[in-house]
Amino acid sequence: MKLLEGKTVLITGASTGIGRAAAIGAARHGADVALNYAHSDGPAQSCVAEIEALGRRALAVKGDVADPETARDFVAKAVDAFGKVDVMVSNAGICPFHSFLDMPAEVVERTFRVNLHGAYYMVQAAARQMVEQGHGGAIVAVSSISALVGGEFQTHYTPTKAGVHSLMQSTAIALGKYGIRCNSVLPGTILTEINRDDLADVEKRRYMEARTPLGRLGQPEDLAGPIVFLASDMAAYVTGAALLVDGGMYVNLQ
Ligand SMILES: NC(=O)C1=CN([C@@H]2O[C@H](COP(=O)(O)OP(=O)(O)OC[C@H]3O[C@@H](n4cnc5c(N)ncnc54)[C@H](OP(=O)(O)O)[C@@H]3O)[C@@H](O)[C@H]2O)C=CC1
Ligand SMILES: C[C@H](O)[C@@H]1OC(=O)[C@H](O)[C@@H]1O
């Protein structure tokens, strides 16, 4: 069964990793997909090609989500190309691991701007378009297990993920009257570019694997199903929810 037949799905940060897997997952479920990205031209174009090979339409729009203008431009170009916006997946994010006491202010500022401000502007731009269209919609934000637990080298990052989770709770209230649902997914440790260097530390990687009851770290494709589900009418009565997708890592105290 195709869950997103005829829908237009916008995804930020879809050149690589979780966003890319979600874009391809949405296309497999019948959606046309607009993808935002910041730097990776080649991967963005190959994602477009992969979606088109599935028989769906795709559009890549380059832009830094930290700039509010990027959100307006992304939504406008998606509407020009596909006529509407049904789903926004706010996924773009960075995590430059760094110790707390000597954290440079610019690293904090940039991480907040990309991860939290970027999500805010994208969600707002998509919601404005959905309200104008008048037939509801779905917003899925990629938060993290890190919204719930800390990280020694992520003091600038975990608050952004808690913020994204909180944003979905508040927008679920603000947008419910328009039939727009807002939910978040909370991935655990997923093997992507964002943590390639961090997990090159074999001891750390083994530790993270050992903490995961399902016995392995996640792959980007592990997020595609939960994101497609929350975007789809199968989740018609789900809003303000947060879905952990972490192989059980969060509950594994001892
Ligand atoms: N991997 C993990 O363990 C977890 C990841 N997450 C979250 O998942 C999301 C995706 O990360 P993940 O797939 O792991 O990592 P990747 O590094 O593979 O993907 C990040 C994506 O975000 C894009 N991006 C980065 N900065 C910007 C920006 N300023 N404007 C627009 N796009 C940008 C990148 O595009 P480009 O390459 O073109 O710059 C890329 O498409 C992030 O929000 C992350 O916090 C949450 C929990 C766990
Ligand atoms: C980048 C990290 O490996 C990843 O990001 C998260 O949000 C998870 O908690 C992991 O720490």
Side-chain angles (χ1 to χ4, degrees):
M1 181 173 52
K2 292 200 169 177
L3 297 183
L4 298 175
E5 196 77 64
K7 305 269 190 199
T8 297
V9 176
L10 279 63
I11 307 185
T12 69
S15 52
T16 61
I18 292 169
R20 183 191 182 97
I24 291 162
R28 285 208 173 102
H29 276 276
D32 294 326
V33 184
L35 39 121
N36 150 273
Y37 69 103
H39 308 97
S40 304
D41 299 316
Q45 289 310 325
S46 82
C47 186
V48 167
E50 208 169 319
I51 290 169
E52 288 175 345
L54 291 166
R56 304 310 316 175
R57 293 181 294 173
L59 170 75
V61 183
K62 191 170 185 171
D64 177 359
V65 295
D67 177 354
E69 184 51 36
T70 298
R72 290 189 280 270
D73 178 63
F74 184 40
V75 169
K77 286 189 169 138
V79 172
D80 275 353
F82 304 136
K84 63 189 171 105
V85 174
D86 298 304
V87 176
M88 165 62 79
V89 180
S90 173
N91 163 78
I94 56 172
C95 182
F97 287 78
H98 204 290
S99 46
F100 177 56
L101 294 177
D102 58 351
M103 177 76 72
E106 53 275 20
V107 175
V108 178
E109 296 280 338
R110 181 70 186 154
T111 306
F112 271 65
R113 286 196 181 284
V114 172
N115 294 7
L116 185 53
H117 298 198
Y120 193 102
Y121 299 134
M122 280 290 176
V123 168
Q124 186 186 47
R128 284 175 173 159
Q129 176 64 28
M130 290 171 184
V131 169
E132 194 180 312
Q133 292 168 184
H135 52 80
I139 296 170
V140 183
V142 179
S143 171
S144 172
I145 188 175
S146 298
L148 310 177
V149 290
E152 180 178 356
F153 299 100
Q154 295 176 306
T155 55
H156 54 321
Y157 172 79
T158 60
T160 68
K161 293 286 132 179
V164 164
H165 168 55
S166 169
L167 176 64
M168 287 301 97
Q169 293 180 322
S170 288
T171 54
I173 302 166
L175 299 173
K177 60 170 91 64
Y178 303 105
I180 301 169
R181 299 180 297 100
C182 301
N183 296 290
S184 56
V185 288
L186 278 54
T189 298
I190 313 298
L191 295 164
T192 69
E193 290 303 317
I194 208 172
N195 51 27
R196 184 184 293 280
D197 291 344
D198 185 52
L199 294 175
D201 175 345
V202 175
E203 206 176 313
K204 174 154 186 193
R205 182 168 168 155
R206 295 278 167 264
Y207 168 75
M208 300 305 276
E209 284 166 349
R211 283 204 54 172
T212 310
L214 289 183
R216 64 172 177 87
L217 299 182
Q219 295 294 336
E221 293 69 27
D222 289 318
L223 270 299
I227 290 171
V228 167
F229 163 69
L230 288 171
S232 79
D233 293 343
M234 291 273 281
Y237 199 57
V238 182
T239 197
L243 178 55
L244 270 166
V245 187
D246 68 343
M249 186 185 274
Y250 176 68
V251 298
N252 187 14
L253 181 60
Q254 54 188 309

